[in-house]
């Protein structure tokens, strides 16, 4: 693949220099001139057969902008007429809806004036899809913004975060009472739930990927089906076992267990997807180097998938933290701060938001929005953390990790060379095998394990200055042989990122 | 090519002493065909590692992995964690059934056909509740499908490449917003602003039974809107907002798998973007569209708090979606679990079991459809 790319590049250059030749002849020359190994450009994207290029019919005209503007003006005017002058319509949503329909209709009409049927259809669909996606985004921003905005009223009183509702009546003004008990409860519950979920979830995800046979497949099927387990059922299960059958009172611990049952399939599934993307050849390399299964998992599979796993756990946390119904059934209800999750009722932020919503007083509504806004801020924070540390697929390294790996490879080369020179007294005298290795290193100045982009950068950083370099390879027939031999080994390596 | 192969052969023929190797060499190589011939041809240049001197025909000492015990522990740990998860999931079903038996024994088959929910008098059944659950789920899905399809298509086909990741993350964020937040928004903002639309639909499409509203007066545009509040329609809208990101991300994954070659082929044949989408992307994404929708339906059926906050419960089959009143199983459980004892509680467990079974079946079918549409995706790993 990379050879093909390089060959086509070479074709271009030789075409430029020998313009009189035919393209075919140039191509033949290129094939002859092409070096035996090819080094792709630094950080060149690996162009797989299915990489999508930016292909789009070039049919965007200036008139399109005019048509859009015209349709917008037309729909705004017509909607205003409809709403203000003719019909007894009212409401913001109705305005948006009617305006949108009129806009699409006007746009279709305008485009059909200078375009054919297929093109008109294409334009109208494009406008519809763009506007619906935009509408959804707007809806999301609006929901979040609305709750945060309504929450400000309660949240701007600092006592909201430092007091509970023990001595506060529902109708008391907002400078009294708060949701401290909810915040503490939420933190307790999610911590316990994470202690249960993370080890069990990750181990199960590893189990699904590392163990073969029908059993893991069966477990995976069940877990996938359980991903959408209604959260109220999780609550009902803990309610029926821990509380009714075993006779424990409602507590934060019970709620945490209900949350764990709800979060477990989510974390397992997300982690499973991430671990499945760890390239199989990394595992095989580790096994070939003599590591056992658990070492492979601990030192190769999990570190490779680290950022994805972190994302999976944090997103599971975000889901668990906002869940109300399992907590509603299992945690009880209290207005006091309860620091002990094992005894006594405990509330969480979403539960408080829900309970306060049910009071028909404005102050409690405001507190409800305050609790929801606090919860939302927590979820947003978790989400942003998850996205900033994670979201990378397996093997996709940060600049720092790449640099680290490069330095490690350089150190390895130094080590091999030192060993081959006999610098280490405990190394046996260099036999034929070690000699061949040294020659390989000298002639190629590349270590197979290093990806091309790094090696190109690495040579700039100085470790390409190996004793001898390319010249010695040319001089020594044995080394040249070794260099040739290396190529098939090296070739496929270049494609792995 | 030659060196690795020759090494293999040397190792392969290394059965006795070096002398035996030399004698047997040519004949064995003849049998092996062309690769062996290469070895013979450049045999002079090939470096053969020295064969360790030792007693004849003794099997070489294969280093046993020192990790064997660790691997055993690891294997057991992994399998037991898988079993624990399986056991937990199994116990959920078992305990629900165990608790539900009492109520099911009392109600018998009437449990499926009774509309009322009065366990004290032995009159209870899931006919109305289940109907309400499915109705809310279907309303939610019919709102979510156009939103999800358009968003998925936008992200996979229209969005600038730089912004694609941002949009994907925004959709994911939408899935992470707690349901109580959607519930507050739906109950305190959406309800006030959507009743106008409800009234408009009821006025002009009221001849269709689903959209009819009892007690509404189409002739009087200024009539009270209270008959339109707390309806299945509004609850479905909010739940639809909640399941849109779930459906959309599954559809987007399916759409993005449409092969680049066929996309470019469609363009090369003169298709517009929409023509390409219709001819390539949508057929490839069909599994994702169907499976994603069903997965979304499964989520919608189980949604509790948002529905509870919006709807006002009724225990009859209420198919007028725009009219006040509706119910879902999960809302029923959240509503009644506190005041229930004995048989009433058992009846709630029976309702929970019914919901559990239904979502499980829907999800199971959905993940089957999605998995089939993804076949081959994981073959690389």
């Amino acid at each position: 693949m990379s050879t093909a790319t390089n060959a086509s590049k070479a074709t271009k250059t030789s075409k430029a220099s020998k313009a009189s030749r035919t393209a075919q002849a140039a191509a033949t020359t290129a094939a002859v001139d092409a070096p035996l190994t090819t080094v792709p450009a630094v950080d060149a994207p690996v162009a797989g057969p299915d990489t999508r290029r930016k292909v789009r019919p070039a049919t965007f005209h200036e008139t399109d902008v005019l048509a859009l503007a015209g349709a917008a003006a037309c729909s705004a005017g017509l909607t205003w007429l409809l709403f203000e002058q003719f019909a007894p319509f009212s409401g913001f949503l109705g305005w948006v809806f009617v305006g949108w329909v009129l806009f699409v209709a006007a746009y279709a009409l305008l485009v059909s004036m200078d375009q054919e049927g297929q093109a008109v259809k294409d334009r109208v669909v494009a406008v519809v899809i763009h506007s619906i996606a935009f509408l959804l985004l707007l809806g999301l921003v609006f929901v979040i913004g609305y709750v945060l905005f309504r929450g400000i009223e309660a949240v701007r009183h600092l006592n909201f975060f430092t007091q509970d509702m023990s001595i506060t009546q529902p109708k008391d003004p907002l400078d009294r009472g708060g949701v401290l008990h909810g915040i503490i409860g939420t933190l307790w519950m999610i911590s316990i739930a994470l202690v249960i979920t993370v080890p069990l979830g990750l181990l199960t995800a590893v189990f699904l990927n590392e163990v073969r046979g029908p059993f893991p497949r069966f477990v995976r099927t069940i877990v996938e089906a359980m991903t959408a387990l209604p959260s109220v059922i999780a609550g009902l299960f803990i309610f029926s076992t821990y509380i009714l059958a075993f006779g424990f009172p409602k507590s934060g611990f019970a709620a945490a267990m209900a949350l764990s049952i709800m979060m477990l399939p989510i974390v397992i599934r997300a982690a499973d997807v991430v671990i499945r993307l760890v390239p199989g050849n990394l595992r095989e390399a580790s096994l070939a180097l003599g590591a056992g299964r658990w070492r492979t998992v601990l030192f190769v599979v999990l570190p490779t998938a680290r950022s994805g796993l972190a994302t999976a756990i944090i997103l599971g946390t975000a889901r668990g933290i906002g869940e109300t119904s399992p907590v509603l059934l299992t945690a009880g209800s209290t207005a006091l701060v309860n620091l002990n999750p094992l005894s006594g009722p405990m509330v969480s932020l979403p539960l408080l938001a829900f309970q306060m919503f049910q009071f028909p007083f404005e102050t409690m509504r405001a507190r409800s929005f305050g609790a929801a806004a606090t919860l939302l801020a927590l979820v947003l924070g978790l989400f942003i953390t998850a996205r900033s540390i994670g979201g990378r697929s397996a093997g996709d390294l940060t600049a720092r990790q790449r640099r680290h790996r490069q330095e490690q490879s350089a150190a390895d080369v130094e080590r091999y060379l030192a060993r081959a020179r006999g610098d280490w007294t405990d190394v046996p005298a260099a036999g034929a095998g070690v000699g061949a290795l040294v020659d390989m290193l000298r002639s190629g100045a590349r270590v197979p394990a290093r990806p091309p982009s790094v090696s190109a950068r690495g040579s700039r950083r100085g470790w390409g200055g190996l004793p001898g370099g390319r010249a010695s390879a040319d001089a020594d027939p044995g080394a040249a042989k070794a260099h040739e031999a290396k190529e098939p080994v090296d070739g496929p390596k270049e494609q792995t990122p | 090519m030659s060196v690795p192969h020759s090494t293999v052969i040397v190792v392969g023929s290394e059965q006795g002493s070096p002398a035996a190797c030399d004698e047997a060499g040519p004949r064995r190589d003849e049998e092996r065909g062309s690769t062996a011939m290469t070895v013979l041809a450049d045999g002079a240049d090939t470096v053969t590692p020295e064969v360790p001197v030792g007693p004849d025909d003794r099997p070489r000492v294969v280093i046993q992995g020192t990790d064997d015990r660790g691997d055993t522990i690891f294997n057991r740990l992994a399998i037991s964690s898988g079993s624990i998860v399986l056991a937990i999931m199994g116990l959920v079903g078992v305990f629900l059934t165990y608790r539900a038996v009492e109520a099911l024994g009392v109600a018998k088959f009437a449990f499926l056909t009774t509309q009322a929910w009065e366990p004290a008098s032995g009159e209870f059944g899931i006919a109305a509740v289940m109907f309400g659950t499915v109705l809310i789920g279907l309303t939610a899905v019919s709102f979510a499908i156009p939103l999800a399809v358009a968003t998925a298509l936008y992200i996979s086909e229209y969005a600038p490449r730089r912004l694609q990741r941002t949009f994907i993350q925004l959709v994911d964020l939408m899935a992470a917003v707690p349901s109580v937040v959607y519930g507050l928004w739906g109950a305190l903002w959406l309800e006030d602003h959507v009743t106008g639309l409800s009234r408009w639909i009821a006025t002009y499409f009221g001849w269709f039974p689903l959209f009819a509203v009892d007690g509404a007066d189409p002739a009087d545009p200024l009539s009270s809107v209270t008959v339109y509040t707390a309806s299945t329609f509004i609850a479905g809208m909010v739940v639809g907002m909640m399941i849109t990101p779930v459906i959309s991300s599954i559809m987007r994954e399916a759409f993005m798998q449409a092969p680049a070659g066929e996309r470019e082929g469609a363009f090369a044949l003169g298709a517009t973007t929409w023509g390409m989408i219709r001819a390539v992307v949508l057929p490839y994404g069909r599994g994702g569209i169907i499976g994603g929708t069903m997965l979304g339906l499964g989520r919608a059926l189980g949604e509790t708090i948002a529905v509870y906050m919006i709807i006002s419960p009724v225990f009859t089959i209420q198919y007028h979606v725009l009219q006040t009143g509706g119910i879902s199983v999960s809302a029923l459980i959240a509503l009644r679990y506190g005041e229930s004892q004995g048989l009433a509680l058992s009846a709630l467990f029976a309702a929970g079991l019914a919901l559990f079974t239904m979502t499980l079946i829907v999800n199971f079918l959905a993940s089957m459809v999605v998995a089939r549409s993804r076949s081959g995706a994981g073959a690389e790993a």
Side-chain angles (χ1 to χ4, degrees):
Chain A
M1 181 169 50
S2 56
T3 319
T5 331
N6 208 59
S8 69
K9 260 185 212 164
T11 314
K12 268 182 209 161
T13 45
S14 56
K15 250 187 202 168
S17 58
K18 303 156 188 169
S20 61
R21 293 197 184 182
T22 62
Q24 253 185 344
T28 325
T29 327
V32 174
D33 289 347
L36 289 167
T37 38
T38 56
V39 182
V42 180
D43 292 338
V46 182
D50 250 14
T51 310
R52 268 167 67 190
R53 290 177 293 176
K54 193 175 169 141
V55 182
R56 201 151 287 174
T59 47
F60 193 81
H61 304 299
E62 285 165 15
T63 48
D64 289 350
V65 183
L66 291 178
L68 277 175
C74 169
S75 90
L78 276 177
T79 315
W80 177 78
L81 271 182
L82 268 176
F83 269 71
E84 305 295 324
Q85 308 295 317
F86 296 152
F89 292 151
S90 62
F92 172 72
L93 282 182
W95 198 94
V96 170
F97 184 72
V98 172
W100 181 72
V101 170
L102 286 175
F103 171 74
V104 172
Y107 183 72
L109 190 72
L110 284 175
V111 171
S112 66
M113 283 175 168
D114 62 344
Q115 298 276 355
E116 295 295 319
Q118 285 293 328
V120 175
K121 222 188 269 176
D122 178 48
R123 296 301 159 76
V124 171
V125 169
V127 159
V128 168
I129 286 178
H130 274 84
S131 53
I132 290 183
F134 182 69
L135 192 80
L136 191 73
L137 195 66
L138 208 70
L140 171 70
V141 171
F142 183 72
V143 170
I144 292 176
Y146 175 76
V147 171
L148 288 180
F149 176 75
R150 290 282 304 262
I152 287 175
E153 195 186 345
V155 169
R156 68 194 165 94
H157 300 283
L158 270 185
N159 59 296
F160 192 69
F161 299 110
T162 56
Q163 295 178 5
D164 57 19
M165 294 296 286
S166 52
I167 49 163
T168 315
Q169 296 299 310
K171 280 185 176 174
D172 280 352
L174 289 171
D175 52 9
R176 248 176 283 163
V179 293
L180 182 66
H181 50 320
I183 295 173
I184 290 174
T186 291
L187 293 181
W188 259 122
M189 287 174 199
I190 204 69
S191 308
I192 297 174
L194 281 176
V195 167
I196 299 174
T197 314
V198 169
L200 198 56
L202 289 191
L203 208 55
T204 307
V206 167
F207 161 73
L208 293 180
N209 280 282
E210 301 296 324
V211 178
R212 305 265 168 246
F215 184 51
R217 270 205 302 277
F218 179 63
V219 174
R220 178 177 280 144
T221 315
I222 297 295
V223 167
E224 276 188 12
M226 282 289 180
T227 316
L229 172 82
S231 53
V232 72
I233 300 285
L236 210 55
F237 171 62
I238 293 297
F239 182 64
S240 75
T241 51
Y242 185 77
I243 293 168
L244 292 183
F246 302 152
F248 291 101
K250 292 183 178 182
S251 66
F253 184 67
M257 283 198 295
L259 286 181
S260 308
I261 289 178
M262 194 220 89
M263 284 163 64
L264 207 50
I266 299 173
V267 171
I268 293 175
R269 200 167 136 59
D272 176 35
V273 170
V274 174
I275 292 180
R276 209 186 306 175
L277 288 177
V278 173
N281 50 11
L282 281 184
R283 275 196 197 98
E284 284 161 18
S286 166
L287 293 173
L289 286 172
R293 293 264 298 281
W294 71 273
R295 273 179 197 276
T296 304
V297 167
L298 203 62
F299 295 113
V300 176
V301 175
L302 292 183
T304 310
R306 187 169 48 194
S307 90
L309 292 178
T311 312
I313 291 169
I314 296 179
L315 292 185
T317 312
R319 279 287 298 281
I321 223 173
E323 209 43 80
T324 319
S325 38
V327 183
L328 174 72
L329 296 189
T330 51
S333 173
T334 179
L336 300 168
V337 168
N338 176 10
L339 289 175
N340 184 357
L342 289 173
S343 78
M346 197 179 230
V347 287
S348 70
L349 277 175
L351 183 59
L352 265 186
F354 171 68
Q355 287 172 342
M356 288 169 161
F357 161 80
Q358 291 176 317
F359 285 92
F361 312 123
E362 272 311 305
T363 49
M364 285 310 259
R365 286 276 158 88
R367 287 195 182 101
S368 170
F369 272 109
T374 314
L375 175 69
L376 199 53
L378 221 56
V379 170
L380 284 180
L382 277 175
F383 195 82
I384 291 168
T385 318
R387 286 312 175 192
S388 58
I389 67 162
R392 289 171 174 277
S393 57
D396 181 10
L397 302 178
T398 60
R400 203 172 133 191
Q401 284 170 322
R402 274 205 300 271
R403 208 166 56 234
H404 178 71
R405 188 176 59 173
Q406 185 185 321
E407 282 163 9
Q408 225 170 21
S409 296
D412 280 347
V413 169
E414 289 297 329
R415 203 156 53 83
Y416 293 149
L417 285 175
R419 196 169 169 180
R421 281 196 302 265
D423 287 359
W424 291 352
T425 46
D426 59 339
V427 177
V434 180
L437 173 69
V438 177
D439 289 335
M440 262 167 67
L441 288 170
R442 278 187 185 157
S443 56
R446 268 190 295 133
V447 179
R450 293 160 57 84
S453 63
V454 180
S455 81
R457 277 174 52 184
S459 58
R460 247 190 290 127
R461 300 178 117 252
W463 74 270
L466 295 170
R470 184 82 200 206
S472 79
D474 294 335
D476 184 353
K481 199 85 208 167
H483 178 50
E484 261 178 49
K486 186 164 71 72
E487 283 190 25
V489 184
D490 204 8
K493 278 281 180 194
E494 290 188 343
Q495 290 167 19
T496 58
Chain B
M1 248 356 212
S2 61
V3 171
H5 268 266
S6 75
T7 322
V8 168
I9 287 163
V10 169
V11 171
S13 56
E14 176 208 312
Q15 286 189 340
S17 64
C21 172
D22 282 343
E23 282 165 21
R27 189 174 45 81
R28 295 175 61 87
D29 287 343
E30 288 287 341
E31 287 163 12
R32 291 192 184 223
S34 59
T35 12
M37 292 302 284
T38 327
V39 178
L40 279 180
D42 59 11
D45 291 335
T46 315
V47 182
T48 45
E50 286 181 17
V51 178
V53 183
D56 286 3
D57 267 335
R58 200 183 67 182
R60 282 175 301 168
V61 178
V62 179
I63 298 168
Q64 292 288 334
T66 47
D67 280 337
D68 264 1
R69 196 186 302 154
D71 274 1
T72 317
I73 296 174
F74 165 76
N75 256 349
R76 289 196 184 139
L77 211 61
I79 291 178
S80 58
S81 78
S83 313
I84 291 173
V85 169
L86 196 65
I88 292 176
M89 301 303 163
L91 275 180
V92 174
V94 169
F95 253 87
L96 280 182
T97 318
Y98 170 70
R99 288 272 164 192
V101 164
E102 187 191 348
L104 289 178
V106 171
K108 306 249 167 33
F109 282 104
F111 184 68
L112 294 176
T113 53
T114 312
Q115 294 189 19
W117 194 267
E118 284 148 16
S121 59
E123 272 289 299
F124 61 92
I126 50 166
V129 191
M130 220 41 162
F131 183 85
T133 309
V134 174
L135 197 62
I136 291 176
L138 291 180
T139 316
V141 162
S142 51
F143 273 111
I145 286 178
L147 285 175
V149 171
T151 314
L153 278 180
Y154 175 73
I155 291 175
S156 77
E157 307 302 323
Y158 289 95
R161 202 62 63 82
R162 286 172 290 115
L163 296 180
Q164 232 172 22
R165 244 180 94 104
T166 316
F167 282 121
I168 292 172
Q169 291 182 1
L170 279 172
V171 171
D172 285 350
L173 171 65
M174 203 171 161
V177 171
S179 56
V180 71
V181 168
Y182 281 110
L184 277 176
W185 173 76
L188 297 180
W189 188 85
L190 187 67
E191 195 158 85
D192 295 340
H193 291 81
V194 88
T195 42
L197 181 63
S198 297
R199 184 168 59 194
W200 186 78
I201 297 175
T203 309
Y204 292 101
F205 298 93
W207 46 267
F208 189 63
L210 206 58
F211 298 133
V213 172
D214 295 333
D217 183 9
D220 176 13
L222 296 177
S223 62
S224 163
V225 293
T226 47
V227 286
Y228 303 108
T229 56
S231 65
T232 304
F233 181 68
I234 298 170
M237 236 173 161
V238 173
V239 176
M241 282 281 282
M242 298 171 64
I243 61 172
T244 298
V246 180
I247 305 179
S248 175
S249 54
I250 289 171
M251 286 185 185
R252 170 179 52 79
E253 272 170 25
F255 291 161
M256 281 181 153
Q257 276 177 12
E262 305 209 4
R263 287 168 197 272
E264 291 178 14
F267 283 137
L269 290 170
T272 57
T273 309
W274 171 237
M276 186 277 289
I277 290 174
R278 241 184 46 181
V280 178
V281 177
L282 291 183
Y284 263 94
R286 198 168 48 203
I289 295 176
I290 298 170
T293 307
M294 287 174 71
L295 224 51
L297 179 65
R299 283 283 289 278
L301 294 177
E303 180 46 45
T304 313
I305 287 299
V307 173
Y308 185 12
M309 286 167 89
I310 290 166
I311 220 153
S312 72
V314 294
F315 290 98
T316 51
I317 289 184
Q318 224 278 45
Y319 59 86
H320 299 155
V321 287
L322 298 171
Q323 193 179 318
T324 303
I327 189 68
S328 79
V329 175
S330 44
L332 166 78
I333 294 170
L335 189 70
R336 290 287 176 85
Y337 87 99
E339 63 206 42
S340 296
Q341 294 281 327
L343 181 67
L345 200 58
S346 176
L348 281 186
F349 278 107
L353 182 67
L355 173 69
F356 179 69
T357 317
M358 190 166 65
T359 46
L360 216 58
I361 291 172
V362 169
N363 281 325
F364 204 68
L365 292 176
S367 51
M368 234 160 65
V369 173
V370 174
R372 226 175 36 190
S373 76
R374 270 189 199 144
S375 58
E380 183 75 24

